[in-house]
Amino acid sequence: MATKQRGRPRSFDREDALRKATLTFWERGYEATSIADLTRVMGIAAPSLYAAFGDKRTLFGEVLDTYATLFGGFGDRALAEEPTARRGFARMLREAAAEYTADGRPHGCMVLSAAENCSSHEVVAVLRGHRLRNVTDFQRRIQADIDAGVLPAHADAAALARYTAAVIQGMSQQARDGASRAELEVLAEVALRAWPEESPGG
């Protein structure tokens, strides 16, 4: 009689599993997403999840990277590819309207929505850190254009950075509340009116 061999652990696509975990955290938020939710959507057992990704908090760190790579990088690309800050932020806001309302995935921004009702001080701090770094990066980009004479010397880089971050955060929440892409595009155009015009040749 043949000896029954112990079954080997089922292999899985790590990137696909991370993408599914990202969508789940995005939809439900960090606090409301359980290990049972994650094992179900990722298609792996709890021991495999812990072996491959560590605990829920550690997995969420990888999820943030996955989100930035697959969904959240449009803002960085806009600022990197456009020749001026004003044009970069104009593109960022317009693309946010599209990204935050795209079909087939949760609406809004995961970095903003995942912190809702979260009791983990560590997770809240990580997400706050992401948002504050964005504001710092915005301010640096705006100040560079002020220093170069592209934006007027009286422009307030810090205020413009916080204002733009607040608009993006508001667009995310409105998208989760059901605002359409067209409605958010109008909001983006209104928000840009608060920006000073570029100097000629900017």
Side-chain angles (χ1 to χ4, degrees):
M1 182 175 178
T3 302
K4 185 176 180 181
Q5 295 183 350
R6 179 178 298 177
R8 297 179 62 186
R10 183 176 60 164
S11 61
F12 65 96
D13 184 325
R14 200 174 195 281
E15 290 185 2
D16 182 63
L18 273 171
R19 185 181 187 279
K20 290 173 179 176
T22 299
L23 293 173
T24 302
F25 278 118
W26 191 354
E27 176 65 35
R28 299 174 60 86
Y30 180 84
E31 189 74 19
T33 299
S34 67
I35 293 295
D37 294 328
L38 293 167
T39 57
R40 184 180 68 255
V41 300
M42 296 168 78
I44 58 177
S48 296
L49 186 151
Y50 289 121
F53 302 103
D55 59 13
K56 176 180 168 182
R57 167 65 189 87
T58 305
L59 169 61
F60 187 66
E62 289 202 50
V63 160
L64 286 174
D65 292 338
T66 299
Y67 175 79
T69 299
L70 297 180
F71 307 108
F74 64 91
D76 289 340
R77 287 193 299 273
L79 291 182
E81 295 172 4
E82 295 300 322
T84 66
R86 194 181 197 283
R87 295 180 205 182
F89 284 109
R91 172 176 159 184
M92 181 190 298
L93 293 174
R94 294 179 186 119
E95 291 188 4
E99 293 290 336
Y100 289 170
T101 58
D103 293 333
R105 64 187 196 228
H107 286 177
C109 171
M110 191 196 76
V111 175
L112 298 171
S113 62
E116 292 176 3
N117 303 314
C118 183
S119 63
S120 169
H121 297 300
E122 184 180 6
V123 170
V124 169
V126 167
L127 294 172
R128 182 188 301 117
H130 276 266
R131 296 192 298 272
L132 292 177
R133 280 193 297 276
N134 283 340
V135 174
T136 299
D137 290 344
F138 292 177
Q139 182 174 343
R140 187 181 300 115
R141 183 70 175 85
I142 296 165
Q143 188 63 53
D145 273 15
I146 295 172
D147 294 342
V150 176
L151 289 171
H154 62 76
D156 187 330
L160 278 174
R162 287 196 174 276
Y163 168 76
T164 305
V167 171
I168 291 171
Q169 291 169 14
M171 291 174 70
S172 172
Q173 185 58 57
Q174 290 199 19
R176 290 182 70 82
D177 288 343
S180 68
R181 174 178 177 175
E183 289 170 329
L184 294 184
E185 286 175 339
V186 171
L187 190 157
E189 294 303 320
V190 171
L192 285 170
R193 295 174 192 167
W195 270 71
E197 293 295 332
E198 296 176 356
S199 302

